[in-house]
């Protein structure tokens, strides 16, 4: 398993998936940007490119990831935290060597990305 999804995050994703059309998958990956150079991408997708993507069932959720992102996100845990201000997903990536203060962008040894102004 490339990444893990906690029970709390899985429950939240499954609840959100009920609002999506049939066949939706959770797409997780990275993209350039943010003050550290890379940021996470988390959303729903219906398309899978057999050449570029891999699909895994993680904690009962079909997850799509771009194969080139796998070395950068391998070992990552996605969690959902609820507090008095609301809730949100948190991502713990052991491959991140630098993270910005707001926690929404990072840099990995394998790929630095292109930092932007926050």
């Amino acid at each position: 398993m490339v990444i893990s999804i906690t029970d709390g995050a899985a429950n939240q994703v499954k609840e959100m998936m009920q609002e999506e059309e049939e066949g939706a998958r959770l797409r997780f990956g990275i993209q350039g940007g943010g003050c550290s150079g890379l940021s996470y991408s988390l959303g729903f997708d219906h398309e899978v490119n057999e050449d570029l993507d891999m699909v895994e069932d993680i904690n009962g959720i079909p997850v799509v990831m771009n194969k080139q992102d796998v070395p950068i996100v391998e070992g990552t845990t996605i969690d959902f935290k609820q507090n008095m201000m609301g809730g949100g997903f948190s991502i713990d990536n052991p491959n991140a060597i630098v993270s910005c203060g707001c926690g929404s962008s990072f840099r990995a040894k394998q790929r630095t990305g292109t930092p932007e102004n926050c």
Side-chain angles (χ1 to χ4, degrees), residues 40-61:
Y40 297 105
S41 173
L42 187 65
F44 294 108
D45 199 348
H46 292 85
E47 303 295 321
V48 175
N49 182 321
E50 304 256 340
D51 295 326
L52 301 176
D53 295 328
M54 64 176 286
V55 180
E56 280 193 351
D57 185 274
I58 302 171
N59 206 355
I61 298 168

Side-chain angles (χ1 to χ4, degrees), residues 63-80:
V63 179
V64 180
M65 290 176 279
N66 188 297
K67 291 175 186 175
Q68 74 177 16
D69 292 347
V70 168
I72 299 165
V73 299
E74 192 162 15
T76 293
T77 299
I78 300 174
D79 194 8
F80 186 82

Side-chain angles (χ1 to χ4, degrees), residues 17-30:
M17 285 182 86
Q18 292 177 359
E19 307 283 324
E20 295 293 317
E21 292 180 28
E22 186 74 26
R25 296 174 181 91
L26 180 68
R27 180 172 285 277
F28 176 65
I30 58 169

Side-chain angles (χ1 to χ4, degrees), residues 7-21:
D7 290 341
N11 291 337
Q12 184 66 30
V13 169
K14 288 173 186 175
E15 188 176 307
M16 293 168 69
M17 285 182 86
Q18 292 177 359
E19 307 283 324
E20 295 293 317
E21 292 180 28

